[in-house]
Amino acid sequence: MSEDFLCEANNSAINIRSQVLHFITTILKSMGWKLDEYNLIDNSIVVDNENFASREMVDELFVEVTKTNLQSVNSLNFEQKVAFNLIMSKINNNESGGFFLDGPGGTGKTFLYCALLATIRSMNHVALAIATVGIVASILPGSCIAHSRFKIPIDSDDQLNCSVSKQSNLAELLRAAKIIIWDRAFMAKRQAIEAFDNMLRDLMDYQLLFGGKVVVFGGDFHQVLPVLPKATLEQTKEASLVKSKLWSELKVLTLTQNMRLRFNASFTDYLLRVGNRIEPSITYNNIRTPENILLPYDNDEIFLNKLIDFVFPNIFTFDANNDILINKAILTPKNYYVDDLNEILIKKFPGEKIIYRSHDDNTAFDSLLLEEDFLNTLTPNGYPPNELVLKIGSPITLHRNIDPSKGLSNGTRLTCRTFDRNVIDAEISTGHHKRERVFIPRIPFLPNKIEKFSFPFKRVQFPIRLCFAITINKAQGKILDTVGVYLPEPVFSHGQLYVALSQATSSRSIRVLIKLAKNNATIMGCTPNIICKDILELAHPNLCHHSYNLIVHAFF
Ligand SMILES: Nc1ncnc2c1ncn2[C@@H]1O[C@H](COP(=O)(O)OP(=O)(O)OP(=O)(O)O)[C@@H](O)[C@H]1O
């Protein structure tokens, strides 16, 4: 890096050192870290984090306000307008307010956030946007991931705290913020949101909800709840926002009109019935998939090829320069099936393959020395595979937050462009940084503190996976043109079936394949739908399921 700065005319050694440190600090800061936490540099070199930190404020004030987002205020529907006016009145009157924007997928929550952010930023105020998951953070302008923005530890099951000092520039930024919008809040542990509330009260020296700020959470309780490693359903429910003492203090603003599927009313109704668990069960918990989106199960190979052909037609002759693949995916419940499908699809994808193997070792963790060959066979949760098989033009997702401010978050979709020994040159395919080229390095993966690995080890590998197929949980927030849902076994947690089905933009662009159980215990086209009714009832206490006002059409 210093050689790059050396190219600048008359650059002195001191200048170069300062520019390199500044650059590294900026990258670390975007992930919520500091250079001096790493003991990488000599103590004689002082890194003035405070000086660099003012960049955060500059970054926020310079987030581009697009004309489209500003003008979208004029096309808000009635419900969006009501929510917009209520929130803006709090801003304009300098009042506090805690809101929860509640709406099923496609009801225009993101559209409304963008309108709010653009309006408030155009008034030269600081408006912070954050999201629980990286992929959503890359959709909202100027957005960050909640955990890195508020320095909330992700691999701790203890009482959570935000480690933001009152003197830091981040504190200054939070104090200046007129509004904080937190999307996919239901996917965060309630303890994280409570820690966020405590932090704001502390920073503002004001014991009112969120320290007197306007905070808008948003999400859809029909979707997947916080993902906690090895937790029971009860523990997951306990960690949900509706179980927090803060929930009763939030004003719930409801959006019901599905803007994504507004020309497909019967499919919208079906999705809501699935999400609310009122689609009639055929046998215990099993619901029938509508015939026009179902691929009948025949035999293993034939049925899978039919699904692949629907989602990726003509994959053998696919043009590697075309990026339409990025808006297509097969969704399935577990990583195990994702890997199988990706292996099949990368073989079908045209071009020469390149294989990147990881370097694995456990010497730092255990006196028991394990052979690398054995470690290579393991892929613990959160680790990339030992062997990555890629081709030019193949779609990949990032599995680490490398540089969120540059669009490189956990979940970002990219397309492989060229391969080098130690870096992969890829093009960002979604969000505000779409079409930008980036270099992805190999990084070390270490055991997560919560998940107790049988054999803790370090894997050095590119933080990516192929994404022809992705897990249903990872699909949340993605907008896909063509979706295949592959259920070789039933979904296993709240809202997964609903999430899988609701990623499509119409019933014409989705097909579902349900494998029959070996003991013939399942009925063709039927699959379990897991929805925790008590979560929905806590989220919508005044809404018994008859009052959802569904127009239940005969399906299609
Ligand atoms: N008032 C509106 N006028 C025109 N288009 C709209 C409006 N509101 C939303 N849309 C469009 O409808 C689609 C779905 O909206 P959006 O992505 O905001 O929904 P969402 O509730 O955030 O969905 P999800 O929870 O699945 O992310 C988008 O294409 C969006 O541009």
Side-chain angles (χ1 to χ4, degrees):
M1 191 188 295
S2 54
E3 282 171 11
D4 291 340
F5 289 111
L6 187 62
C7 297
E8 292 172 21
N10 302 327
N11 215 353
S12 67
I14 293 180
N15 242 348
I16 291 171
R17 192 170 65 189
S18 144
Q19 283 170 316
V20 170
L21 288 175
H22 187 284
F23 194 78
I24 297 172
T25 305
T26 311
I27 294 173
L28 289 175
K29 274 186 67 58
S30 68
M31 294 184 257
W33 299 321
K34 283 181 176 180
L35 182 59
D36 54 10
E37 285 166 5
Y38 289 85
N39 300 327
L40 291 175
I41 49 174
D42 199 295
N43 285 342
S44 62
I45 302 173
V46 180
V47 182
D48 183 358
N49 280 294
E50 295 308 312
N51 258 341
F52 295 127
S54 59
R55 253 192 89 99
E56 294 207 336
M57 184 72 84
V58 175
D59 283 352
E60 279 305 328
L61 290 172
F62 280 86
V63 176
E64 192 192 357
V65 176
T66 66
K67 228 175 167 182
T68 320
N69 284 341
L70 255 182
Q71 287 172 350
S72 62
V73 178
N74 302 324
S75 49
L76 296 175
N77 65 29
F78 177 75
E79 292 167 330
Q80 289 169 325
K81 193 90 195 160
V82 169
F84 179 89
N85 288 341
L86 197 59
I87 295 166
M88 282 310 296
S89 75
K90 296 283 179 192
I91 302 280
N92 293 331
N93 297 327
N94 276 325
E95 288 170 1
S96 62
F99 297 94
F100 189 91
L101 189 62
D102 178 26
T107 48
K109 299 181 293 296
T110 312
F111 195 86
L112 178 56
Y113 303 141
C114 290
L116 282 166
L117 290 168
T119 307
I120 297 166
R121 284 172 179 161
S122 71
M123 295 155 78
N124 288 328
H125 291 314
V126 174
L128 297 181
I130 55 160
T132 309
V133 283
I135 183 62
V136 182
S138 68
I139 295 170
L140 283 175
S143 181
C144 286
I145 300 154
H147 282 86
S148 58
R149 171 58 98 194
F150 303 131
K151 300 175 192 282
I152 309 169
I154 37 176
D155 54 357
S156 165
D157 45 7
D158 309 330
Q159 180 72 33
L160 295 180
N161 283 311
C162 304
S163 36
V164 177
S165 99
K166 271 186 158 181
Q167 285 73 37
S168 66
N169 285 292
L170 177 55
E172 186 199 330
L173 182 75
L174 288 165
R175 279 191 287 263
K178 273 278 179 190
I179 188 169
I180 303 174
I181 294 178
W182 185 331
D183 192 23
R184 311 277 154 165
F186 59 87
M187 287 187 76
K189 283 161 78 170
R190 70 171 166 78
Q191 292 87 340
I193 293 174
E194 286 161 5
F196 164 70
D197 174 46
N198 289 337
M199 172 193 70
L200 286 179
R201 289 175 197 237
D202 185 41
L203 293 183
M204 302 302 294
D205 275 328
Y206 195 29
Q207 283 312 309
L208 201 69
L209 183 67
F210 306 122
K213 295 223 154 277
V214 175
V215 176
V216 179
F217 296 99
D220 174 6
F221 284 99
H222 302 103
Q223 297 189 354
V224 176
L225 296 170
V227 179
L228 311 179
K230 299 191 177 134
T232 61
L233 185 59
E234 254 343 283
Q235 288 166 324
T236 307
K237 284 199 255 177
E238 257 327 290
S240 166
L241 176 58
V242 284
K243 292 277 184 170
S244 168
K245 59 184 188 310
L246 298 176
W247 178 247
S248 59
E249 298 192 54
L250 299 178
K251 170 145 189 61
V252 179
L253 304 167
T254 310
L255 302 183
T256 57
Q257 189 183 352
N258 195 316
M259 301 300 285
R260 187 176 297 139
L261 294 168
R262 57 190 182 279
F263 305 116
N264 208 334
S266 50
F267 191 49
T268 309
D269 292 343
Y270 170 72
L271 289 178
L272 269 181
R273 294 199 301 273
V274 173
N276 291 321
R277 220 181 80 186
I278 54 172
E279 175 66 7
S281 301
I282 302 301
T283 53
Y284 175 74
N285 237 359
N286 280 266
I287 60 164
R288 196 182 285 285
T289 310
E291 265 176 28
N292 63 333
I293 62 168
L294 180 72
L295 281 179
Y297 174 77
D298 196 344
N299 87 32
D300 270 14
E301 208 175 321
I302 297 174
F303 80 74
L304 201 50
N305 280 331
K306 277 188 191 161
L307 187 71
I308 290 172
D309 284 348
F310 174 78
V311 183
F312 303 103
N314 309 320
I315 187 144
F316 287 108
T317 54
F318 196 80
D319 173 7
N321 291 318
N322 197 331
D323 63 2
I324 59 164
L325 274 190
I326 220 72
N327 293 323
K328 298 162 172 279
I330 298 179
L331 316 181
T332 189
K334 293 189 175 163
N335 273 319
Y336 173 82
Y337 302 113
V338 166
D339 292 343
D340 278 358
L341 283 163
N342 281 329
E343 198 181 319
I344 296 171
L345 278 149
I346 195 69
K347 278 187 191 148
K348 289 178 186 271
F349 194 75
E352 209 173 304
K353 70 178 179 192
I354 180 155
I355 301 178
Y356 287 110
R357 292 200 171 80
S358 65
H359 172 68
D360 299 341
D361 94 278
N362 78 326
T363 47
F365 298 101
D366 216 314
S367 51
L368 174 71
L369 280 182
L370 294 166
E371 291 292 329
E372 188 168 5
D373 284 356
F374 169 69
L375 296 175
N376 290 167
T377 62
L378 309 175
T379 307
N381 216 355
Y383 278 39
N386 153 252
E387 196 177 89
L388 272 171
V389 181
L390 304 170
K391 290 181 181 173
I392 289 178
S394 55
I396 51 174
T397 40
L398 202 58
H399 281 251
R400 275 290 183 275
N401 295 313
I402 293 190
D403 187 354
S405 67
K406 299 273 185 312
L408 293 178
S409 309
N410 190 343
T412 300
R413 283 164 85 88
L414 306 108
T415 304
C416 295
R417 288 301 173 213
T418 54
F419 301 116
D420 208 341
R421 213 175 116 86
N422 292 315
V423 284
I424 293 173
D425 170 8
E427 184 179 317
I428 300 180
S429 310
T430 49
H432 293 282
H433 297 272
K434 191 170 171 172
R435 304 227 178 282
E436 286 176 18
R437 293 286 276 266
V438 290
F439 291 110
I440 302 173
R442 289 179 199 267
I443 60 168
F445 284 78
L446 298 166
N448 178 317
K449 277 187 206 155
I450 293 181
E451 295 196 46
K452 312 270 184 285
F453 292 171
S454 321
F455 305 106
F457 68 99
K458 179 169 97 175
R459 166 163 293 168
V460 180
Q461 178 59 294
F462 293 100
I464 56 168
R465 274 174 184 267
L466 280 168
C467 66
F468 294 105
I470 48 178
T471 57
I472 295 171
N473 287 4
K474 282 262 174 201
Q476 288 203 88
K478 294 194 169 56
I479 297 154
L480 299 166
D481 296 336
T482 317
V483 183
V485 180
Y486 175 45
L487 300 175
E489 62 177 271
V491 293
F492 57 87
S493 79
H494 169 92
Q496 272 186 325
L497 187 64
Y498 169 81
V499 167
L501 297 173
S502 59
Q503 299 313 305
T505 47
S506 88
S507 56
R508 278 190 298 279
S509 61
I510 182 167
R511 290 294 177 272
V512 182
L513 193 67
I514 303 165
K515 193 168 171 177
L516 293 172
K518 290 232 159 54
N519 57 5
N520 279 337
T522 43
I523 302 172
M524 174 84 84
C526 290
T527 192
N529 179 29
I530 302 176
I531 297 288
C532 304
K533 272 277 190 186
D534 39 348
I535 290 287
L536 295 187
E537 278 159 11
L538 281 166
H540 311 122
N542 304 321
L543 215 55
C544 84
H545 59 245
H546 296 301
S547 59
Y548 277 103
N549 196 18
L550 298 173
I551 319 147
V552 182
H553 299 279
F555 197 75
F556 303 76

